[in-house]
Amino acid sequence: MVPAKDFKRRMVVEIDGAPHMIEQIQVQTPSARGAATLYKIKARNLKTSARLERSFRGTDALNESSFERRPVQYLYRDSGALHFMDSASFNQFSMSLDELKDVVPFMTENMDGVLSLVVDDEVIAIELPDTVELPIVETAPGVRGNSATGRTKPGKLSTGFVVQVPEHLDQGTTVRVDTRTGEYLGRAT
């Protein structure tokens, strides 16, 4: 049992009998004496991909879900699925595009750091690294001298995902993107 005060992002807990990954935690400290601190979480059901929001007191506890993270390699994509290979057993498996709609915009073939979440020998989710580096393949031309302004423009990445990038960046520049929020983090080094 994990008390709410010890919840962490990416922790997998049992809610209503199903494994959920905690994606966001918001702590609300009470202003009155004797009132309990509330922990509002946003979690995603790893089997159905449904999202839920719940509030817990600091002493409320949930069971940590029994699962395993295994390194996998993303092989390729076809019309309806993404295909992977378990890096330890070399077993290949596929998951539908619908199941992985949150991670597809950041996936590239032979990508490092990809993990599968396995419950009872069944892969229920794919977890990406927090950041990925992708090249900009399409954007308006960069304007010299605009690096000091905070203005942005849309930049289409090699995966087809569109992210807001600073106005001075050109096509061909590799950028770092947060896979959890889809936000531009900076130029790749």
Side-chain angles (χ1 to χ4, degrees):
M1 295 289 273
V2 180
K5 63 182 179 63
D6 294 336
F7 287 170
K8 291 179 178 42
R9 290 190 69 243
R10 295 215 166 167
M11 181 181 274
V12 179
V13 293
E14 294 266 338
I15 301 174
D16 300 330
H20 285 72
M21 181 180 287
I22 297 174
E23 295 180 334
Q24 201 174 3
I25 304 168
Q26 182 181 5
V27 180
Q28 291 183 331
T29 308
S31 57
R33 284 190 180 170
T37 300
L38 288 180
Y39 296 85
K40 280 187 161 185
I41 66 164
K42 289 184 181 179
R44 182 172 44 94
N45 185 321
L46 294 176
K47 290 188 176 179
T48 65
S49 293
R51 287 187 160 73
L52 67 82
E53 292 183 31
R54 291 265 173 94
S55 294
F56 298 94
R57 289 193 179 110
T59 55
D60 292 346
L62 293 174
N63 284 327
E64 197 163 2
S65 186
S66 59
F67 70 95
E68 185 180 355
R69 281 187 169 97
R70 293 184 190 161
V72 295
Q73 182 179 13
Y74 169 50
L75 299 174
Y76 65 94
R77 173 184 179 168
D78 62 22
S79 61
L82 291 147
H83 300 271
F84 299 89
M85 179 178 66
D86 188 302
S87 297
S89 68
F90 303 108
N91 290 333
Q92 292 187 16
F93 63 93
S94 60
M95 294 184 76
S96 75
L97 288 171
D98 288 341
E99 291 177 288
L100 300 174
K101 63 181 175 273
D102 294 341
V103 298
V104 168
F106 309 106
M107 301 281 304
T108 57
E109 292 179 10
N110 301 317
M111 184 177 182
D112 289 330
V114 180
L115 299 172
S116 64
L117 297 179
V118 182
V119 174
D120 300 327
D121 286 329
E122 179 190 349
V123 177
I124 58 170
I126 296 295
E127 190 175 84
L128 297 181
D130 290 344
T131 61
V132 292
E133 295 182 357
L134 297 167
I136 299 171
V137 295
E138 194 179 302
T139 190
V143 182
R144 281 192 179 273
N146 276 357
S147 60
T149 65
R151 293 191 297 194
T152 60
K153 62 183 179 181
K156 186 175 183 182
L157 304 177
S158 60
T159 60
F161 186 71
V162 177
V163 65
Q164 291 295 316
V165 297
E167 211 170 48
H168 66 278
L169 293 183
D170 283 318
Q171 196 168 307
T173 305
T174 301
V175 296
R176 281 190 354 264
V177 179
D178 188 319
T179 59
R180 299 159 297 187
T181 62
E183 292 176 353
Y184 164 83
L185 295 176
R187 275 186 141 146
T189 53

